[in-house]
Coordinates of all heavy atoms in Angstrom, one line a residue:
S6 N 9.8 212.6 110.6 CA 10.1 212.4 109.2 C 8.8 212.4 108.4 O 7.8 212.2 108.8 CB 10.8 211.1 109.0 OG 10.0 210.0 109.3
T7 N 9.0 212.7 107.0 CA 7.9 212.6 106.1 C 8.3 211.4 105.2 O 9.3 211.3 104.6 CB 7.8 213.8 105.2 OG1 7.6 215.0 106.1 CG2 6.6 213.8 104.3
V8 N 7.4 210.4 105.2 CA 7.7 209.2 104.4 C 7.6 209.5 102.9 O 6.7 210.1 102.4 CB 6.5 208.2 104.7 CG1 6.7 206.9 103.9 CG2 6.5 207.8 106.2
P9 N 8.6 209.1 102.1 CA 9.9 208.5 102.6 C 11.0 209.6 102.7 O 10.9 210.6 102.1 CB 10.3 207.6 101.5 CG 9.8 208.2 100.3 CD 8.5 209.0 100.7
S10 N 11.9 209.4 103.6 CA 13.0 210.4 103.8 C 14.2 209.8 104.3 O 14.1 208.8 105.0 CB 12.5 211.6 104.7 OG 12.4 211.1 106.0
P11 N 15.4 210.4 104.1 CA 16.6 209.8 104.7 C 16.7 210.0 106.2 O 16.1 211.0 106.6 CB 17.7 210.5 104.0 CG 17.1 211.8 103.6 CD 15.7 211.5 103.3
P12 N 17.3 209.2 106.9 CA 17.4 209.5 108.4 C 18.3 210.6 108.7 O 19.4 210.8 108.1 CB 18.1 208.1 108.9 CG 18.8 207.6 107.8 CD 18.0 208.0 106.5
P13 N 17.9 211.5 109.6 CA 18.8 212.7 109.9 C 19.9 212.2 110.8 O 19.8 211.2 111.5 CB 17.8 213.6 110.6 CG 16.8 212.7 111.3 CD 16.6 211.5 110.3
N14 N 20.9 213.1 110.9 CA 22.0 212.8 111.8 C 21.6 213.2 113.2 O 21.2 214.3 113.4 CB 23.3 213.5 111.4 CG 23.8 213.0 110.1 OD1 23.8 211.8 109.8 ND2 24.3 213.9 109.2
D15 N 21.7 212.3 114.1 CA 21.4 212.6 115.5 C 22.6 212.7 116.3 O 23.4 211.8 116.5 CB 20.5 211.4 116.1 CG 19.9 211.7 117.4 OD1 20.4 212.7 118.1 OD2 19.0 211.1 117.8
K16 N 22.9 213.9 116.7 CA 24.2 214.2 117.4 C 24.1 214.0 118.9 O 25.1 214.0 119.6 CB 24.6 215.7 117.1 CG 24.8 216.0 115.7 CD 25.2 217.5 115.5 CE 25.5 217.7 114.0 NZ 25.9 219.2 113.7
N17 N 22.8 213.8 119.4 CA 22.6 213.6 120.8 C 22.6 212.1 121.1 O 21.7 211.4 120.9 CB 21.3 214.3 121.3 CG 21.2 214.3 122.8 OD1 21.6 213.4 123.5 ND2 20.6 215.3 123.3
E18 N 23.7 211.6 121.6 CA 23.8 210.2 121.8 C 22.9 209.7 122.8 O 22.3 208.6 122.7 CB 25.3 209.8 122.3 CG 25.6 208.3 122.3 CD 25.7 207.8 120.9 OE1 26.0 208.6 120.0 OE2 25.4 206.6 120.7
K19 N 22.6 210.5 123.9 CA 21.6 210.1 124.9 C 20.2 209.9 124.3 O 19.5 208.9 124.5 CB 21.6 211.2 126.0 CG 20.6 210.8 127.2 CD 20.7 211.8 128.2 CE 19.7 211.5 129.4 NZ 19.8 212.5 130.4
D20 N 19.8 210.9 123.4 CA 18.5 210.7 122.8 C 18.4 209.6 121.8 O 17.4 208.9 121.7 CB 18.2 212.0 122.0 CG 17.7 213.2 123.0 OD1 17.4 212.8 124.1 OD2 17.6 214.3 122.5
K21 N 19.6 209.3 121.2 CA 19.6 208.2 120.2 C 19.3 206.9 120.9 O 18.7 206.0 120.3 CB 21.0 208.2 119.5 CG 21.1 207.1 118.4 CD 22.5 206.9 117.9 CE 23.0 207.9 117.0 NZ 24.2 207.6 116.4
N22 N 19.9 206.7 122.1 CA 19.8 205.4 122.8 C 18.5 205.3 123.5 O 18.3 204.2 124.1 CB 21.0 205.3 123.7 CG 22.3 205.1 122.9 OD1 22.3 204.6 121.8 ND2 23.4 205.6 123.5
R23 N 17.8 206.3 123.7 CA 16.5 206.2 124.5 C 15.4 205.9 123.6 O 15.1 206.6 122.6 CB 16.3 207.6 125.1 CG 15.0 207.6 126.0 CD 14.9 208.9 126.8 NE 14.8 210.0 125.8 CZ 15.1 211.3 126.2 NH1 15.5 211.6 127.4 NH2 15.1 212.2 125.3
P24 N 14.6 204.8 123.9 CA 13.5 204.5 123.0 C 12.4 205.6 123.1 O 12.2 206.2 124.1 CB 13.0 203.2 123.7 CG 13.4 203.2 125.1 CD 14.8 204.0 125.1
K25 N 11.7 205.7 122.0 CA 10.7 206.8 121.9 C 9.4 206.2 121.4 O 9.4 205.1 120.7 CB 11.1 207.9 121.0 CG 12.3 208.7 121.6 CD 12.6 210.0 120.7 CE 13.8 210.7 121.3 NZ 14.0 212.0 120.6
L26 N 8.3 206.8 121.7 CA 7.0 206.4 121.2 C 6.9 206.7 119.7 O 7.4 207.8 119.3 CB 5.9 207.2 121.9 CG 5.8 207.0 123.4 CD1 4.8 208.1 124.0 CD2 5.3 205.6 123.7
K27 N 6.5 205.8 118.9 CA 6.3 206.1 117.5 C 4.9 206.5 117.2 O 3.9 205.8 117.5 CB 6.6 204.8 116.7 CG 8.1 204.3 116.7 CD 8.3 203.1 116.0 CE 8.1 203.3 114.5 NZ 8.4 202.1 113.7
I28 N 4.8 207.6 116.6 CA 3.5 208.3 116.4 C 3.3 208.5 114.9 O 4.2 209.2 114.2 CB 3.3 209.5 117.1 CG1 3.4 209.3 118.7 CG2 1.9 210.2 116.8 CD1 3.2 210.5 119.5
L29 N 2.2 208.0 114.3 CA 1.9 208.3 112.9 C 1.0 209.6 112.9 O -0.1 209.6 113.6 CB 1.1 207.1 112.3 CG 0.9 207.2 110.8 CD1 2.1 207.4 110.0 CD2 0.1 205.9 110.3
A30 N 1.4 210.5 112.1 CA 0.7 211.8 112.0 C -0.2 212.0 110.8 O 0.3 211.7 109.7 CB 1.7 213.0 112.1
F31 N -1.4 212.4 111.0 CA -2.4 212.6 109.9 C -2.8 214.1 109.7 O -3.3 214.7 110.6 CB -3.7 211.8 110.2 CG -3.5 210.3 110.4 CD1 -2.9 209.7 111.5 CD2 -4.0 209.5 109.3 CE1 -2.8 208.4 111.6 CE2 -3.9 208.1 109.5 CZ -3.3 207.5 110.6
H32 N -2.5 214.6 108.6 CA -2.6 216.1 108.3 C -4.1 216.4 108.0 O -5.0 215.5 108.0 CB -1.8 216.4 107.0 CG -2.2 215.8 105.8 ND1 -3.3 216.1 105.0 CD2 -1.6 214.7 105.1 CE1 -3.4 215.3 104.0 NE2 -2.3 214.5 104.0
G33 N -4.4 217.6 107.9 CA -5.7 218.2 107.7 C -6.1 218.2 106.2 O -5.2 218.0 105.3
Y34 N -7.4 218.6 105.9 CA -7.8 218.7 104.5 C -7.0 219.9 103.9 O -6.7 220.9 104.5 CB -9.3 219.0 104.6 CG -9.9 219.2 103.2 CD1 -9.9 218.3 102.2 CD2 -10.6 220.4 102.9 CE1 -10.5 218.5 101.0 CE2 -11.2 220.7 101.7 CZ -11.1 219.7 100.7 OH -11.7 219.8 99.5
R35 N -6.7 219.7 102.6 CA -5.9 220.7 101.9 C -4.5 220.9 102.4 O -3.9 222.0 102.2 CB -6.6 222.0 101.8 CG -7.9 222.0 100.9 CD -8.4 223.4 100.6 NE -9.6 223.4 99.9 CZ -9.6 223.4 98.5 NH1 -8.5 223.3 97.9 NH2 -10.7 223.3 97.8
Q36 N -4.0 219.9 103.0 CA -2.6 219.8 103.4 C -2.0 218.6 102.8 O -2.6 217.9 102.0 CB -2.4 219.8 104.9 CG -2.9 221.0 105.7 CD -2.7 221.0 107.2 OE1 -2.6 219.9 107.7 NE2 -2.6 222.1 107.8
N37 N -0.7 218.4 103.1 CA 0.0 217.1 102.9 C 1.0 216.8 104.0 O 1.1 217.6 104.9 CB 0.6 217.0 101.4 CG 1.7 218.0 101.3 OD1 2.5 218.3 102.2 ND2 1.8 218.7 100.1
G38 N 1.6 215.7 103.9 CA 2.5 215.4 105.0 C 3.6 216.4 105.3 O 3.9 216.8 106.4
A39 N 4.2 216.9 104.2 CA 5.3 217.9 104.3 C 4.7 219.2 104.8 O 5.4 219.9 105.7 CB 6.0 218.1 103.0
I40 N 3.6 219.6 104.3 CA 3.0 220.9 104.8 C 2.7 220.9 106.3 O 3.0 221.8 107.0 CB 1.7 221.3 104.0 CG1 2.1 221.6 102.5 CG2 1.0 222.4 104.6 CD1 0.9 221.8 101.6
F41 N 2.1 219.8 106.6 CA 1.7 219.6 108.0 C 2.9 219.6 109.0 O 2.9 220.2 110.0 CB 0.9 218.3 108.2 CG 0.3 218.1 109.5 CD1 -0.3 219.1 110.2 CD2 0.4 216.8 110.2 CE1 -0.9 218.9 111.5 CE2 -0.2 216.6 111.4 CZ -0.8 217.6 112.1
R42 N 3.9 218.9 108.5 CA 5.1 218.8 109.3 C 5.7 220.2 109.5 O 6.1 220.6 110.6 CB 6.2 218.0 108.6 CG 7.5 217.8 109.4 CD 8.5 217.0 108.6 NE 9.7 216.7 109.4 CZ 10.7 217.5 109.6 NH1 10.7 218.8 109.1 NH2 11.7 217.2 110.4
G43 N 5.7 221.0 108.5 CA 6.2 222.4 108.6 C 5.4 223.3 109.5 O 5.9 224.2 110.1
K44 N 4.1 223.0 109.5 CA 3.1 223.9 110.3 C 3.2 223.6 111.8 O 2.8 224.4 112.6 CB 1.7 223.7 109.8 CG 1.4 224.5 108.5 CD 0.0 224.4 108.1 CE -0.3 225.2 106.9 NZ -0.3 226.6 107.1
I45 N 3.7 222.4 112.2 CA 3.6 222.0 113.6 C 5.0 221.9 114.2 O 5.2 221.0 115.0 CB 2.8 220.8 113.8 CG1 3.4 219.5 113.1 CG2 1.3 221.0 113.4 CD1 2.7 218.2 113.6
G46 N 5.9 222.8 113.8 CA 7.2 222.8 114.3 C 7.3 222.8 115.8 O 8.1 222.1 116.5
S47 N 6.5 223.7 116.4 CA 6.5 223.8 117.9 C 6.1 222.5 118.6 O 6.6 222.1 119.6 CB 5.5 225.0 118.3 OG 6.0 226.2 117.9
F48 N 5.0 221.9 118.0 CA 4.6 220.6 118.6 C 5.7 219.6 118.4 O 6.0 218.8 119.4 CB 3.3 220.2 117.9 CG 2.8 218.8 118.3 CD1 2.1 218.6 119.4 CD2 3.2 217.7 117.5 CE1 1.6 217.3 119.7 CE2 2.8 216.4 117.9 CZ 2.0 216.2 119.0
R49 N 6.3 219.5 117.3 CA 7.4 218.5 117.1 C 8.5 218.7 118.1 O 9.0 217.7 118.6 CB 8.0 218.6 115.6 CG 6.9 218.2 114.6 CD 7.6 218.0 113.2 NE 7.9 219.3 112.6 CZ 9.2 219.7 112.5 NH1 10.2 219.0 112.8 NH2 9.4 220.9 111.9
K50 N 8.9 219.9 118.3 CA 10.0 220.2 119.2 C 9.6 219.9 120.6 O 10.3 219.3 121.4 CB 10.4 221.7 119.2 CG 11.5 222.1 120.0 CD 11.9 223.6 119.9 CE 13.1 224.0 120.8 NZ 13.4 225.4 120.6
A51 N 8.3 220.2 121.0 CA 7.9 219.9 122.3 C 7.8 218.5 122.7 O 8.2 218.1 123.9 CB 6.5 220.6 122.6

Side-chain angles (χ1 to χ4, degrees):
S6 64
T7 303
V8 176
S10 68
N14 293 323
D15 191 342
K16 297 180 181 179
N17 190 325
E18 193 67 27
K19 184 178 179 181
D20 282 347
K21 180 192 283 188
N22 294 330
R23 181 175 58 202
K25 294 186 178 183
L26 300 168
K27 292 180 65 176
I28 298 177
L29 186 60
F31 296 74
H32 61 77
Y34 179 58
R35 291 189 178 277
Q36 294 181 338
N37 61 41
I40 291 174
F41 187 45
R42 184 185 187 278
K44 284 183 174 291
I45 63 169
S47 296
F48 174 83
R49 291 190 290 112
K50 183 177 180 180

